[in-house]
Amino acid sequence: MSLAKRIIPCLDVKDGETVKGTNFVNLRSAGDPVALGKAYSEQGADELCFLDITASFEGRKTFTDMVTRVAQEINIPFTVGGGINELADVERLLFAGADKVSVNSAAIRRPELIDEITSRFGSQVCVCAIDARFDADGIPAGAPTRGLWHCYLKGGRERTERGLFEWAHEAQERGAGEILFTSMDHDGVKEGYANEALRELADNLSIPIIASGGAGKKEHFRDTFIEGHADAALAASVFHFGEIPIPELKQYLKAEGINVRI
């Protein structure tokens, strides 16, 4: 039997509270991250992900304190990210109780950061998060699409010339333990994950691929596991606002023949 597929609620944290937007903008409050994390743990989430989306110096202190509180309240693994630029940041968050760290912009700017994290703490600690958008403006219909996924920095505000697939491959080669791929086009839209791109990642890499961006109903989770070959599915607003209860989602997936932990 294949490894169980994972359900991962994601909590974007700004100034100590959980927020959620659409296409990376228009943020609204979704509650206390520690209380939400504890509730998700009790409901059967497999892991959690907390992202500090305003990682200024003062924000980092607030966020680190929150990580400590989360570690005291939950008993499932959790990943933290946002503003991780050097080993000292990783040490601070792991010491506070995090199980893994997620690196994004800093790793694209200085890929050696992945090598440093994995050689010091092991591959299982390093999640390489990639925010990418399908940029097809001016491209004729029927043209190859593989090279049209571009990676973005700074919470989706700055486009790079790094391609999604080549950067994911390099991250794996440098030792990253997982790839967390967020399709910016799908984020918060609730019309399904970017399954074609996810499948290409999953079929060409040997490390787990976490799908992010697009969950709106239970079928979307099923589709990303079956069509997208994803190892885990991350979602935010459908959980934060009570649209899809995690126990109900897992029972549905099990009925659809997908191996999940109940």
Side-chain angles (χ1 to χ4, degrees):
M1 179 172 286
S2 62
L3 287 174
K5 303 294 188 180
R6 290 171 286 152
I7 301 298
I8 307 176
C10 181
L11 299 92
D12 290 341
V13 179
K14 180 177 186 288
D15 302 326
E17 70 173 356
T18 310
V19 295
K20 185 63 190 111
T22 302
N23 301 128
F24 285 42
V25 295
N26 301 323
L27 302 177
R28 58 174 172 153
S29 175
D32 174 57
V34 180
L36 275 174
K38 185 177 182 182
Y40 293 145
S41 176
E42 292 169 349
Q43 289 168 23
D46 298 292
E47 296 182 19
L48 297 172
C49 184
F50 295 86
L51 299 177
D52 180 359
I53 63 170
T54 51
S56 65
F57 177 76
E58 195 52 42
R60 284 185 183 188
K61 185 177 185 311
T62 303
F63 187 74
T64 305
D65 291 344
M66 181 215 74
V67 171
T68 301
R69 288 163 50 223
V70 168
Q72 293 168 345
E73 293 286 347
I74 72 169
N75 57 6
I76 58 175
F78 69 99
T79 301
V80 295
I84 295 173
N85 297 302
E86 56 187 4
L87 278 181
D89 298 321
V90 180
E91 287 181 342
R92 171 172 51 85
L93 294 166
L94 294 179
F95 185 74
D99 298 279
K100 309 177 194 178
V101 295
S102 168
V103 291
N104 191 332
S105 298
I108 289 185
R109 283 195 290 261
R110 193 173 71 83
E112 296 79 16
L113 179 61
I114 296 174
D115 306 71
E116 293 167 6
I117 294 170
T118 58
S119 61
R120 178 75 173 271
F121 301 107
S123 289
Q124 78 284 352
V125 160
C126 184
V127 178
C128 182
I130 304 176
D131 299 330
R133 173 171 276 149
F134 186 74
D135 295 321
D137 294 347
I139 304 297
T145 61
R146 193 178 197 279
L148 300 182
W149 282 95
H150 287 93
C151 301
Y152 278 71
L153 302 178
K154 299 178 181 175
R157 290 185 286 274
E158 181 181 311
R159 174 178 150 158
T160 76
E161 289 311 305
R162 296 301 306 255
L164 164 63
F165 302 106
E166 53 99 359
W167 170 233
H169 183 266
E170 180 178 337
Q172 173 181 274
E173 294 303 297
R174 289 182 177 275
E178 296 179 275
I179 299 293
L180 166 55
F181 163 50
T182 300
S183 167
M184 294 171 59
D185 304 291
H186 295 71
D187 177 67
V189 180
K190 300 184 179 180
E191 293 181 354
Y193 293 92
N195 290 325
E196 189 176 331
L198 284 159
R199 184 169 60 250
E200 178 149 359
L201 287 170
D203 290 354
N204 288 285
L205 298 178
S206 58
I207 58 177
I209 307 298
I210 304 168
S212 171
K217 54 187 181 180
K218 289 177 291 209
E219 289 81 1
H220 294 154
F221 290 87
R222 175 199 64 195
D223 293 346
T224 203
F225 292 137
I226 294 175
E227 298 171 16
H229 299 178
D231 297 278
L234 180 146
S237 56
V238 292
F239 297 140
H240 300 340
F241 302 117
E243 296 162 36
I244 302 178
I246 292 172
E248 186 180 302
L249 171 61
K250 286 196 160 188
Q251 291 292 348
Y252 165 80
L253 292 172
K254 193 172 185 67
E256 291 289 315
I258 294 166
N259 181 20
V260 291
R261 297 183 191 89
I262 300 293

